[in-house]
Amino acid sequence: MSDVATREKVSVPLADRLLGFPAYPLADVPQIKRELSARGVDVIDLGAGDADLAPPPAAVAALTAAAADPAMSRYPFQLGLPAFREAVAAWMQSRFGVRLDPFREILPLVGSKEGIAHLAFCYVGAGDATIVPDPGYQPYVGGTLLAGGQPWTVPLRPENDFLIVLEDLPAEVVRRARVLYLNYPNNPTAAAAPRAYLESAVAFCRENRILLAWDNAYSEIAFDGYRPPSILEIEGAAEIAVEFHSFSKTYNMTGWRIAWAAGSAEAIAALARVKNFVDTGQFLCVQAAARAALESYAAWVPGNVEAFRRRRDALVGALRSAGLDAPLPTATMYVWFPVPPGQDSHGFARRALLEQGVVLMPGAALGPGGEGYLRAALTRPAERLAEAAARLRALL
Ligand SMILES: Cc1ncc(COP(=O)(O)O)c(C=O)c1O
């Protein structure tokens, strides 16, 4: 005892790279929510893109059945379940008309965040840059920093339809850039990219020998007849692009941690090499379940999208009635709307949480380019979304 009391306090210094690391968005919210709930506050959480809807019954049944087979408890390695890769290839072909080799051009991931973050280790080193949308999904920044590179953030502005204007990038940055991260339908702005933009992005990356990381996590959550494309539909993309897809949003399987990368065989092989040292593949039972989810796509996904559409209409209508200027998104599970005049995004979101029990994403938490906006996710039933919007009125 006395030994502990007299011992000098020692701490091991952290690596320099962690010192400049940004805080992860909403990282402190679960703790604040617990405290509010303990005080009896009825919290409505529209922060993370983590819907309360159920996954497809076919996925749950396949998971349960697979768990009874001892072979499914063994290491998956990067190969994973061959039938999963084949189901992904079949779906990519039927959904986008893109033909892929399931074993060379597809890789199972432990959630697409994992693959997105690890991709930088394949292409980025000291002195290299990546081109990153701001606001944007933070693993583009985090992966670059972990790999020792410099993220070059480009503000997404409404006057440019929330697209990165590739012609405006400084030549010096383009010269050092190794990866261009693009995400349409976009989190958080809900913007969609026209096909001509995809073509120009492929041409730009081919010309400058930059890997195009196309994050298509929201390709299936689209409304009013809009069908988001795959970058792999574009001529010439196969050599320079990798596309990320996830079960998290399409199938309400955020916690299952299952996704895939598809595209350039070289990039897929490089990512598998990195992942060999980090993970040993996603649980085979989860891969079996994901295969079943894909096979239930035609029967199940339209109803899920319809549930998000009803939520979208309810939330946008209620925000407008509350006096907030909310546009109607054509895709994603987010409504991206301006902060009321005279307030900033962090301040408004904090007041929404502490005074009204409503969790929103402050735009600036996703990069300084997001200042002036708030993001609300369609993660709760329509009546709760309407209730949340009504509570916000008190903050105007
Ligand atoms: C743009 C974008 N990409 C990728 C993901 C990652 O999803 P997951 O890691 O659950 O597959 C998300 C999740 O919020 C996202 O918003």
Side-chain angles (χ1 to χ4, degrees):
M1 283 302 280
S2 59
D3 185 36
V4 172
T6 55
R7 198 184 293 147
E8 188 191 347
K9 197 170 174 328
V10 167
S11 82
V12 179
L14 293 169
D16 286 348
R17 78 165 65 79
L18 220 52
L19 302 178
F21 234 71
Y24 201 79
L26 302 181
D28 60 345
V29 162
Q31 185 56 28
I32 300 174
K33 266 175 67 181
R34 266 192 66 215
E35 287 160 17
L36 288 173
S37 299
R39 294 210 316 259
V41 177
D42 170 30
V43 176
I44 307 178
D45 187 348
L46 313 183
D50 190 8
D52 60 353
L53 297 161
V60 177
L63 177 77
T64 315
D69 177 358
M72 299 294 274
S73 280
R74 303 190 64 196
Y75 282 128
F77 301 108
Q78 299 309 325
L79 172 65
L81 193 70
F84 171 67
R85 288 172 173 261
E86 284 159 358
V88 167
W91 183 81
M92 291 290 288
Q93 161 99 56
S94 70
R95 169 69 175 84
F96 301 114
V98 169
R99 220 180 252 281
L100 295 166
D101 179 332
F103 299 96
R104 292 177 58 252
E105 296 172 313
I106 289 169
L107 184 65
L109 301 173
V110 189
S112 62
K113 182 188 215 175
E114 175 269 297
I116 289 166
H118 285 136
L119 184 71
F121 288 93
C122 306
Y123 289 95
V124 179
D128 294 334
T130 63
I131 301 166
V132 173
D134 171 18
Y137 188 51
Q138 289 300 288
Y140 313 143
V141 168
T144 303
L145 292 174
L146 287 171
Q150 294 171 335
W152 177 266
T153 52
V154 185
L156 302 184
R157 302 303 312 163
E159 54 273 25
N160 298 322
D161 299 325
F162 298 110
L163 300 169
I164 289 182
V165 182
L166 300 168
E167 306 84 72
D168 290 353
L169 291 167
E172 183 275 330
V173 171
V174 174
R175 192 177 49 70
R176 287 192 298 122
R178 307 301 312 278
V179 182
L180 166 63
Y181 298 93
L182 291 176
N183 163 229
Y184 297 98
N186 183 255
N187 170 17
T189 68
R195 197 175 186 86
Y197 185 77
L198 276 67
E199 288 166 357
S200 67
V202 168
F204 171 84
C205 287
R206 287 183 69 91
E207 190 181 322
N208 295 292
R209 291 171 163 243
I210 294 172
L211 188 86
L212 177 48
W214 186 264
D215 183 353
N216 223 346
Y218 299 95
S219 66
E220 306 314 305
I221 304 191
F223 313 109
D224 313 326
Y226 175 52
R227 295 289 276 163
S230 163
I231 197 71
L232 302 174
E233 292 172 32
I234 307 299
E235 171 103 40
E239 290 151 31
I240 50 90
V242 178
E243 176 160 299
F244 292 91
H245 282 272
S246 175
F247 289 80
S248 290
K249 320 291 170 167
T250 308
Y251 298 98
N252 308 324
M253 288 166 66
T254 49
W256 298 49
R257 312 312 301 133
I258 180 77
W260 73 87
S264 153
E266 280 177 20
I268 291 293
L271 189 51
R273 278 175 65 194
V274 169
K275 280 166 57 60
N276 273 332
F277 291 90
V278 182
D279 65 74
T280 312
Q282 179 50 286
F283 184 25
L284 290 171
C285 296
V286 170
Q287 297 196 35
R291 173 198 178 196
L294 274 179
E295 287 171 354
S296 75
Y297 177 81
W300 189 86
V301 169
N304 197 51
V305 174
E306 179 57 15
F308 279 118
R309 188 201 55 78
R310 283 197 299 270
R311 290 177 172 205
R312 174 198 69 163
D313 292 351
L315 179 60
V316 169
L319 287 170
R320 288 177 181 172
S321 304
L324 289 153
D325 182 16
L328 194 70
T330 55
T332 78
M333 56 198 288
Y334 305 112
V335 178
W336 180 247
F337 58 100
V339 183
Q343 308 198 45
D344 66 75
S345 66
H346 276 294
F348 189 90
R350 190 135 291 252
R351 288 184 63 212
L353 179 55
L354 299 180
E355 296 173 28
Q356 298 298 328
V358 175
V359 183
L360 297 172
M361 175 73 85
L366 299 169
E371 187 48 271
Y373 286 88
L374 296 155
R375 189 192 80 181
L378 305 173
T379 48
R380 295 291 177 269
E383 59 280 7
R384 293 290 280 168
L385 295 169
E387 156 84 20
R391 290 190 202 174
L392 296 181
R393 185 197 285 272
L395 303 176
L396 302 188

Short mmCIF file of all heavy atoms in Angstrom, two decimals, residues 49 111-114 116 137 140 183 187 215 217-218 246-249 254 257-259 334, ligand 1:
data_model
loop_
_atom_site.label_atom_id
_atom_site.label_comp_id
_atom_site.label_asym_id
_atom_site.label_seq_id
_atom_site.Cartn_x
_atom_site.Cartn_y
_atom_site.Cartn_z
N GLY A 49 -25.97 8.35 -37.91
CA GLY A 49 -26.78 7.69 -38.95
C GLY A 49 -27.01 6.24 -38.59
O GLY A 49 -26.52 5.34 -39.25
N GLY A 111 -17.11 -3.57 -41.93
CA GLY A 111 -17.71 -2.23 -42.03
C GLY A 111 -16.91 -1.40 -43.03
O GLY A 111 -15.69 -1.58 -43.16
N SER A 112 -17.57 -0.49 -43.73
CA SER A 112 -16.82 0.26 -44.76
C SER A 112 -15.89 1.28 -44.13
O SER A 112 -14.87 1.65 -44.73
CB SER A 112 -17.76 0.90 -45.78
OG SER A 112 -18.62 1.82 -45.19
N LYS A 113 -16.17 1.72 -42.90
CA LYS A 113 -15.26 2.63 -42.21
C LYS A 113 -13.86 2.02 -42.12
O LYS A 113 -12.84 2.68 -42.37
CB LYS A 113 -15.80 2.90 -40.80
CG LYS A 113 -15.00 3.86 -39.97
CD LYS A 113 -15.54 3.87 -38.55
CE LYS A 113 -15.45 5.23 -37.92
NZ LYS A 113 -16.09 5.25 -36.58
N GLU A 114 -13.84 0.75 -41.79
CA GLU A 114 -12.56 0.04 -41.68
C GLU A 114 -11.80 0.09 -43.00
O GLU A 114 -10.60 0.44 -43.04
CB GLU A 114 -12.86 -1.40 -41.23
CG GLU A 114 -11.72 -2.36 -41.17
CD GLU A 114 -11.50 -3.10 -42.47
OE1 GLU A 114 -12.38 -3.85 -42.91
OE2 GLU A 114 -10.42 -2.91 -43.05
N ILE A 116 -12.23 2.11 -45.58
CA ILE A 116 -11.92 3.49 -45.98
C ILE A 116 -10.67 3.97 -45.22
O ILE A 116 -9.75 4.54 -45.81
CB ILE A 116 -13.14 4.41 -45.70
CG1 ILE A 116 -14.26 4.09 -46.69
CG2 ILE A 116 -12.74 5.88 -45.76
CD1 ILE A 116 -15.61 4.68 -46.32
N TYR A 137 -17.21 12.66 -44.17
CA TYR A 137 -17.07 11.51 -43.29
C TYR A 137 -15.63 11.49 -42.76
O TYR A 137 -14.67 11.50 -43.54
CB TYR A 137 -17.40 10.26 -44.09
CG TYR A 137 -17.49 9.00 -43.27
CD1 TYR A 137 -18.27 8.94 -42.12
CD2 TYR A 137 -16.82 7.86 -43.67
CE1 TYR A 137 -18.35 7.78 -41.38
CE2 TYR A 137 -16.90 6.68 -42.93
CZ TYR A 137 -17.67 6.65 -41.79
OH TYR A 137 -17.75 5.50 -41.05
N TYR A 140 -11.94 9.76 -43.75
CA TYR A 140 -11.08 10.21 -44.85
C TYR A 140 -9.90 10.99 -44.25
O TYR A 140 -8.74 10.80 -44.64
CB TYR A 140 -11.80 11.12 -45.85
CG TYR A 140 -13.16 10.66 -46.33
CD1 TYR A 140 -14.19 11.58 -46.56
CD2 TYR A 140 -13.43 9.31 -46.56
CE1 TYR A 140 -15.43 11.19 -47.01
CE2 TYR A 140 -14.69 8.91 -47.00
CZ TYR A 140 -15.69 9.85 -47.22
OH TYR A 140 -16.93 9.45 -47.64
N ASN A 183 -17.98 11.12 -52.09
CA ASN A 183 -19.10 10.42 -51.46
C ASN A 183 -20.41 11.05 -51.93
O ASN A 183 -20.81 12.09 -51.45
CB ASN A 183 -18.93 10.52 -49.92
CG ASN A 183 -20.19 10.21 -49.14
OD1 ASN A 183 -20.58 10.97 -48.24
ND2 ASN A 183 -20.86 9.16 -49.48
N ASN A 187 -23.00 12.32 -47.45
CA ASN A 187 -23.14 12.58 -46.02
C ASN A 187 -22.16 13.71 -45.71
O ASN A 187 -20.96 13.52 -45.96
CB ASN A 187 -22.79 11.33 -45.21
CG ASN A 187 -22.69 11.62 -43.73
OD1 ASN A 187 -23.16 12.64 -43.25
ND2 ASN A 187 -22.04 10.71 -43.01
N ASP A 215 -17.15 6.54 -52.15
CA ASP A 215 -17.87 6.02 -50.99
C ASP A 215 -19.37 6.03 -51.32
O ASP A 215 -20.00 7.08 -51.34
CB ASP A 215 -17.54 6.91 -49.78
CG ASP A 215 -18.19 6.42 -48.51
OD1 ASP A 215 -19.00 5.50 -48.56
OD2 ASP A 215 -17.87 7.01 -47.45
N ALA A 217 -21.93 4.51 -49.68
CA ALA A 217 -22.68 3.95 -48.55
C ALA A 217 -24.18 4.22 -48.65
O ALA A 217 -24.98 3.49 -48.06
CB ALA A 217 -22.15 4.53 -47.23
N TYR A 218 -24.56 5.26 -49.39
CA TYR A 218 -25.99 5.64 -49.46
C TYR A 218 -26.60 5.37 -50.82
O TYR A 218 -27.65 5.93 -51.14
CB TYR A 218 -26.15 7.12 -49.05
CG TYR A 218 -25.69 7.34 -47.63
CD1 TYR A 218 -24.39 7.77 -47.36
CD2 TYR A 218 -26.51 7.04 -46.56
CE1 TYR A 218 -23.94 7.91 -46.05
CE2 TYR A 218 -26.07 7.17 -45.26
CZ TYR A 218 -24.78 7.61 -45.01
OH TYR A 218 -24.35 7.72 -43.72
N SER A 246 -21.87 -0.66 -48.15
CA SER A 246 -22.07 -1.09 -46.77
C SER A 246 -23.46 -1.66 -46.58
O SER A 246 -24.42 -1.25 -47.25
CB SER A 246 -21.90 0.13 -45.85
OG SER A 246 -22.20 -0.24 -44.53
N PHE A 247 -23.59 -2.59 -45.64
CA PHE A 247 -24.92 -3.10 -45.25
C PHE A 247 -25.54 -2.22 -44.17
O PHE A 247 -26.70 -2.39 -43.82
CB PHE A 247 -24.79 -4.54 -44.73
CG PHE A 247 -24.50 -5.52 -45.83
CD1 PHE A 247 -23.22 -5.65 -46.33
CD2 PHE A 247 -25.52 -6.26 -46.41
CE1 PHE A 247 -22.94 -6.51 -47.37
CE2 PHE A 247 -25.25 -7.12 -47.46
CZ PHE A 247 -23.95 -7.25 -47.95
N SER A 248 -24.74 -1.28 -43.64
CA SER A 248 -25.19 -0.52 -42.47
C SER A 248 -26.49 0.24 -42.71
O SER A 248 -27.41 0.18 -41.90
CB SER A 248 -24.11 0.46 -42.05
OG SER A 248 -23.01 -0.24 -41.50
N LYS A 249 -26.55 0.98 -43.81
CA LYS A 249 -27.70 1.86 -44.03
C LYS A 249 -28.77 1.16 -44.85
O LYS A 249 -29.94 1.23 -44.51
CB LYS A 249 -27.25 3.16 -44.73
CG LYS A 249 -25.93 3.73 -44.25
CD LYS A 249 -25.96 4.28 -42.83
CE LYS A 249 -24.54 4.59 -42.37
NZ LYS A 249 -24.48 5.40 -41.16
N THR A 254 -26.08 -1.58 -38.97
CA THR A 254 -24.90 -0.80 -38.56
C THR A 254 -23.99 -1.59 -37.62
O THR A 254 -22.76 -1.54 -37.75
CB THR A 254 -25.31 0.51 -37.86
OG1 THR A 254 -26.28 0.19 -36.88
CG2 THR A 254 -25.88 1.52 -38.83
N ARG A 257 -21.26 -4.74 -38.73
CA ARG A 257 -19.92 -4.43 -39.27
C ARG A 257 -19.59 -5.28 -40.49
O ARG A 257 -18.69 -6.12 -40.48
CB ARG A 257 -18.83 -4.58 -38.19
CG ARG A 257 -19.09 -3.92 -36.85
CD ARG A 257 -19.57 -2.48 -36.96
NE ARG A 257 -18.66 -1.60 -37.65
CZ ARG A 257 -19.06 -0.73 -38.61
NH1 ARG A 257 -20.32 -0.64 -39.00
NH2 ARG A 257 -18.18 0.03 -39.17
N ILE A 258 -20.36 -5.06 -41.54
CA ILE A 258 -20.11 -5.81 -42.77
C ILE A 258 -20.32 -4.89 -43.98
O ILE A 258 -21.27 -4.10 -44.01
CB ILE A 258 -20.98 -7.10 -42.83
CG1 ILE A 258 -20.73 -7.90 -44.12
CG2 ILE A 258 -22.45 -6.84 -42.64
CD1 ILE A 258 -19.47 -8.70 -44.14
N ALA A 259 -19.39 -4.98 -44.91
CA ALA A 259 -19.36 -4.09 -46.07
C ALA A 259 -18.44 -4.72 -47.10
O ALA A 259 -17.90 -5.81 -46.88
CB ALA A 259 -18.82 -2.72 -45.63
N TYR A 334 -30.33 11.80 -44.28
CA TYR A 334 -30.03 13.04 -43.58
C TYR A 334 -30.79 14.23 -44.16
O TYR A 334 -31.01 14.31 -45.37
CB TYR A 334 -28.52 13.35 -43.66
CG TYR A 334 -27.68 12.21 -43.16
CD1 TYR A 334 -26.88 11.48 -44.03
CD2 TYR A 334 -27.74 11.82 -41.82
CE1 TYR A 334 -26.12 10.41 -43.58
CE2 TYR A 334 -26.99 10.76 -41.36
CZ TYR A 334 -26.19 10.05 -42.24
OH TYR A 334 -25.45 8.98 -41.78
C1 LIG B 1 -20.30 8.47 -45.93
C2 LIG B 1 -20.19 7.24 -45.11
N1 LIG B 1 -19.37 6.29 -45.50
C3 LIG B 1 -19.21 5.17 -44.80
C4 LIG B 1 -19.92 4.98 -43.64
C5 LIG B 1 -19.56 3.75 -42.84
O1 LIG B 1 -20.46 2.83 -42.61
P1 LIG B 1 -20.03 1.44 -41.99
O2 LIG B 1 -18.65 1.51 -41.45
O3 LIG B 1 -21.03 1.19 -40.95
O4 LIG B 1 -20.09 0.48 -43.16
C6 LIG B 1 -20.78 5.95 -43.17
C7 LIG B 1 -21.48 5.80 -41.89
O5 LIG B 1 -22.01 6.68 -41.32
C8 LIG B 1 -20.92 7.11 -43.94
O6 LIG B 1 -21.73 8.09 -43.56
#
